[in-house]
Amino acid sequence: MEVVKQLEQLRTTRRKCSDPFGLVPTMGYLHEGHLSLVRCAMSECASVGVSIFVNPTQFGPNEDLTAYPRDLERDLSLLSAEGVDLVWIPEVEGLYPPGDPTWVDVEGLTEYLEGAKRSGHFRGVTTVVAKLFNAFQPTKAYFGQKDAQQARVIQRMTEDLLLPIEIVICPIVREVDGLAMSSRNSYLNPEQRQAATVLWRALGHAGSLYDAGERNAGNLREGMLDVLNAEPLARVQYVSV
Ligand code: PAF
């Protein structure tokens, strides 16, 4: 496995990799969700690259950029065990040269749900993903269904910029109690970790209502809100069907 920092090193190593080439962009602190993307890429591509970069532009001023968990040594050992060919760990200045920046911004789709709560978040995501796509020139790129709006926004960006890259969306990987795996789960203390299963329980409740014949989106949302509001540690930002 080649681990590189500089763009030129990445380009040289990438040229030696066979196509189809699969890219898994990550912010590191890898878990089974990331590894499921890597495994999917390995099964579909002749070579696979992973980027590890905690992208500052997708964090708001009051978000967790400095606290975001990092463990590069562990990440590299996990990726090596999976048989990944190439890992890029760029520096911030490597992806964001000093001076006025260029942004990639998908309109419309980014204005509601997560986008309404996190101003500028998706602009940071699409800008960095466009840069990663240009640097790696992958045939396919792999993202998780957990970040459903992000996945759709990246698909739209890829279509609109006429990029010859297939976006593959892989299923959510959950802990045994249903909580979706996320690097940020490491922030939770045991009480919060237990409470966080309310997300899965609320979704399950909506699923049961649906299976029982409910087709009114407002009623499905109300059902989920009932479950979420019964959890004292939960603060609802949005519920959508
Ligand atoms: O989903 C993530 O981990 C990040 O948003 C991504 C796609 C790697 C861009 O920084």
Side-chain angles (χ1 to χ4, degrees):
M1 184 173 85
E2 292 270 346
V3 181
V4 299
K5 280 196 169 173
Q6 304 302 324
L7 178 62
E8 278 321 309
Q9 294 172 297
L10 172 76
R11 292 214 152 116
T12 307
T13 314
R14 167 66 182 101
R15 273 194 289 272
K16 293 186 216 145
C17 294
S18 320
D19 283 330
F21 184 92
L23 170 64
V24 182
T26 81
M27 298 208 299
Y29 210 68
L30 305 179
H31 50 68
E32 279 297 315
H34 297 110
L35 298 181
S36 75
L37 304 181
V38 169
R39 286 174 198 140
C40 184
M42 299 285 297
S43 73
E44 296 183 351
C45 300
S47 35
V48 170
V50 174
S51 59
I52 299 178
F53 180 65
V54 181
N55 173 38
T57 63
Q58 68 187 76
F59 289 77
N62 300 318
E63 293 186 17
D64 55 341
L65 174 61
T66 49
Y68 197 83
R70 290 161 168 89
D71 191 342
L72 188 55
E73 203 177 319
R74 182 174 169 275
D75 290 348
L76 292 178
S77 118
L78 288 169
L79 295 175
S80 170
E82 295 295 332
V84 164
D85 300 275
L86 171 58
V87 181
W88 190 29
I89 312 167
E91 306 282 356
V92 174
E93 307 73 47
L95 274 178
Y96 295 102
D100 290 340
T102 299
W103 296 107
V104 176
D105 202 358
V106 173
E107 296 182 353
L109 277 178
T110 59
E111 282 156 24
Y112 53 92
L113 303 178
E114 202 70 6
K117 296 286 165 199
R118 302 178 70 189
S119 171
H121 168 69
F122 283 120
R123 186 180 75 158
V125 170
T126 43
T127 299
V128 80
V129 171
K131 288 171 189 256
L132 295 170
F133 283 179
N134 282 327
F136 276 94
Q137 310 250 313
T139 322
K140 298 183 174 204
Y142 296 80
F143 297 88
Q145 176 73 34
K146 173 172 74 67
D147 301 305
Q149 191 178 10
Q150 166 175 283
R152 183 67 199 108
V153 167
I154 290 169
Q155 274 176 330
R156 183 61 205 249
M157 174 195 79
T158 309
E159 286 158 22
D160 276 2
L161 297 182
L162 314 181
L163 300 175
I165 301 169
E166 184 187 334
I167 305 300
V168 183
I169 312 296
C170 300
I172 298 174
V173 179
R174 296 184 179 279
E175 304 285 355
V176 282
D177 63 5
L179 183 65
M181 289 195 183
S182 164
S183 306
R184 287 185 167 107
N185 289 349
S186 64
Y187 297 153
L188 303 174
N189 67 30
E191 192 192 3
Q192 293 164 337
R193 172 66 187 75
Q194 172 54 37
T197 59
V198 74
L199 293 166
W200 174 236
R201 287 185 275 117
L203 289 167
H205 183 57
S208 305
L209 293 175
Y210 185 89
D211 288 342
E214 181 60 72
R215 292 294 182 273
N216 180 288
N219 292 343
L220 293 170
R221 283 192 290 269
E222 283 304 316
M224 283 194 281
L225 280 170
D226 288 344
V227 178
L228 291 165
N229 288 332
E231 170 48 64
L233 292 184
R235 301 279 179 281
V236 177
Q237 288 191 314
Y238 61 82
V239 174
S240 181
V241 175

